[in-house]
Amino acid sequence: MPMRYLEAIHDRLDYLMGGLAILAVAVAAGIIVKFLIFKSLEAYNRRQNPVFFKSLTVHLSRPFGFFIPLLFVSIVLPALPYGTTLVENLRRLVEILDIIAFAWILVACTNVARDLVRHKYNIEQKPDNMRERRLITQLQFLRKVTVVTIIFIATALILLSFDPVRKLGTGLLTSAGVAGVVVGFAAQTSIANLLAGMQIAFTQPIRLDDVLVVEGEFGRVEEITLTYVVLRLWDHRRLILPLNYFIQKPFQNWTRTGSDILATVHFYTDYTMPIEPLRQEFDRLLAATDLWNGQASVLQVTDSKERTLELRALMSAQNSALAWDLRCYIREGLIYFIQKNYPDALPKTRSEFTGEKLPPLADLS
């Protein structure tokens, strides 16, 4: 009896090991084929298109390292020395893993396309990058919608591979209308944000890297997701706003049609201040700095108040960041000019006393 049991165990182990050996050979063959494919691509694309190959290697190497061995395993499944039930269960498992691997490859392909477009339309290559920002904004939203769609379809295919789920889905189709109304009502905020995202992607009231003033905060668009927008504020804080905010409420977009912007500085001086020397100094300061783009420059008296004159210096800069530095530069330069050359023209309060002598001081005791 013991010898009979040992022989049975030995036969069973041989039975299992034979199938495992076939699977191991298939996996090893898949790994070798994947290695050869990427080595061939490296040799072909290293000089012709290094950006494409780098992105391809970074994003597709791992999913293909999972998909190709699975493909070889599915090929050798009929050759396994197992029973019909076990082979069928293995086949179903491999099919599910194939769906996951293929969905992973499709998501990785969207990353490769994103890298190529961002390389071709780099928003950091030039200050006036409105065309690049428009394309990148549309690409980012479409990629996220594509990824969500791929994941949804892959999940549905996996679930439909099981008979109980398929039967349940067939039954649910009869009540899809009522279910759609209920789900739509419960998710109306999310659906509104998704529709707002599609509208923003194509009409583009905002784009990536746009400079906005929202809720009294000044910042730059850092990220646009499927449901919200991330605004990087000037002090590195982050303001998170839902997408439908930019459809329903007013806001300022300083880079809607271009990045160039007008900057203003206001001064208040005494009525004795001569304007022409100050205007000449203003022109000299602008000509001496690269912050000014040379398109607009004017210094005017914009108001005459009871005690002071209001002067406005108007100049142009390539973008909002340079405009801020230009305002500080002009403000400091003109204030120094007034202090050095016309100190008596600084704002002052006058009092006039008439008569032969000053009036007596009030008795403070």
Side-chain angles (χ1 to χ4, degrees):
M1 291 293 292
M3 289 299 296
R4 188 178 305 169
Y5 286 141
L6 290 175
E7 290 177 357
I9 293 173
H10 185 269
D11 293 340
R12 189 67 175 176
L13 288 175
D14 288 342
Y15 172 75
L16 293 174
M17 293 303 295
L20 291 177
I22 295 175
L23 292 176
V25 170
V27 171
I31 294 174
I32 293 173
V33 169
K34 177 259 178 183
F35 177 79
L36 294 175
I37 289 175
F38 276 84
K39 278 297 181 181
S40 300
L41 287 174
E42 180 180 2
Y44 180 74
N45 290 316
R46 181 180 293 173
R47 296 182 178 179
Q48 297 194 10
N49 197 344
V51 175
F52 173 71
F53 175 73
K54 182 179 179 181
S55 178
L56 203 68
T57 304
V58 169
H59 297 298
L60 286 177
S61 178
R62 295 177 65 184
F64 266 98
F66 184 60
F67 177 74
I68 295 179
L70 278 175
L71 189 61
F72 277 79
V73 168
S74 63
I75 293 173
V76 301
L77 277 179
L80 294 178
Y82 297 150
T84 305
T85 303
L86 182 57
V87 172
E88 182 64 23
N89 291 333
L90 288 175
R91 183 188 61 79
R92 178 168 295 183
L93 177 61
V94 171
E95 286 179 354
I96 293 173
L97 294 177
D98 280 336
I99 293 173
I100 295 173
F102 190 68
W104 190 4
I105 291 173
L106 293 179
V107 172
C109 288
T110 65
N111 293 331
V112 174
R114 177 197 61 192
D115 291 347
L116 293 177
V117 174
R118 283 185 173 179
H119 175 72
K120 184 176 181 180
Y121 302 99
N122 192 348
I123 61 176
E124 298 179 358
Q125 285 182 347
K126 53 183 179 179
D128 191 4
N129 52 10
M130 185 177 65
R131 179 170 177 264
E132 287 78 7
R133 290 187 290 109
R134 180 189 298 118
L135 292 172
I136 294 297
T137 301
Q138 291 177 342
L139 170 69
Q140 178 172 292
F141 183 80
L142 290 175
R143 178 190 167 273
K144 290 178 179 178
V145 172
T146 303
V147 170
V148 171
T149 304
I150 291 171
I151 294 174
F152 176 80
I153 294 175
T155 305
L157 290 175
I158 292 173
L159 293 177
L160 290 175
S161 64
F162 298 96
D163 291 335
V165 177
R166 189 185 301 115
K167 294 177 181 178
L168 178 62
T170 304
L172 288 176
L173 286 176
T174 59
S175 57
V178 177
V181 172
V182 173
V183 172
F185 180 78
Q188 56 182 335
T189 302
S190 299
I191 294 174
N193 278 322
L194 182 61
L195 295 177
M198 295 180 64
Q199 185 174 348
I200 287 174
F202 292 99
T203 62
Q204 296 198 337
I206 61 172
R207 307 180 188 92
L208 285 175
D209 209 42
D210 265 347
V211 177
L212 308 182
V213 178
V214 184
E215 299 290 330
E217 298 281 3
F218 174 87
R220 192 177 293 271
V221 178
E222 183 178 56
E223 184 180 2
I224 302 176
T225 70
L226 290 176
T227 55
Y228 61 87
V229 174
V230 180
L231 217 63
R232 185 181 74 250
L233 304 183
W234 64 275
D235 55 358
H236 292 183
R237 290 178 295 143
R238 299 301 191 272
L239 181 64
I240 312 297
L241 295 166
L243 283 173
N244 56 9
Y245 177 94
F246 298 95
I247 303 299
Q248 299 175 357
K249 295 185 179 181
F251 60 92
Q252 296 182 39
N253 188 337
W254 289 14
T255 53
R256 178 68 178 86
T257 57
S259 61
D260 56 316
I261 191 171
L262 294 177
T264 58
V265 175
H266 289 86
F267 297 91
Y268 296 91
T269 67
D270 190 71
Y271 272 76
T272 59
M273 177 68 205
I275 305 302
E276 191 57 32
L278 190 63
R279 185 174 286 123
Q280 293 175 1
E281 177 64 12
F282 172 63
D283 293 338
R284 188 192 70 80
L285 289 171
L286 287 180
T289 179
D290 294 332
L291 299 172
W292 180 52
N293 65 0
Q295 294 183 3
S297 64
V298 61
L299 189 145
Q300 296 172 316
V301 178
T302 54
D303 199 0
S304 54
K305 302 181 183 295
E306 294 179 358
R307 296 182 176 86
T308 59
L309 291 176
E310 181 186 78
L311 283 70
R312 186 190 70 178
L314 177 69
M315 53 275 184
S316 58
Q318 191 65 41
N319 55 55
S320 59
L322 295 179
W324 173 265
D325 293 336
L326 182 60
R327 280 195 294 264
C328 296
Y329 167 76
I330 292 297
R331 188 181 294 114
E332 293 172 4
L334 291 183
I335 288 175
Y336 175 77
F337 178 78
I338 296 173
Q339 290 173 337
K340 181 180 178 181
N341 298 282
Y342 302 95
D344 293 336
L346 295 171
K348 59 174 65 73
T349 300
R350 293 182 173 85
S351 297
E352 181 179 355
F353 301 96
T354 59
E356 296 180 356
K357 61 179 181 179
L358 293 176
L361 295 175
D363 188 4
L364 300 176
S365 58

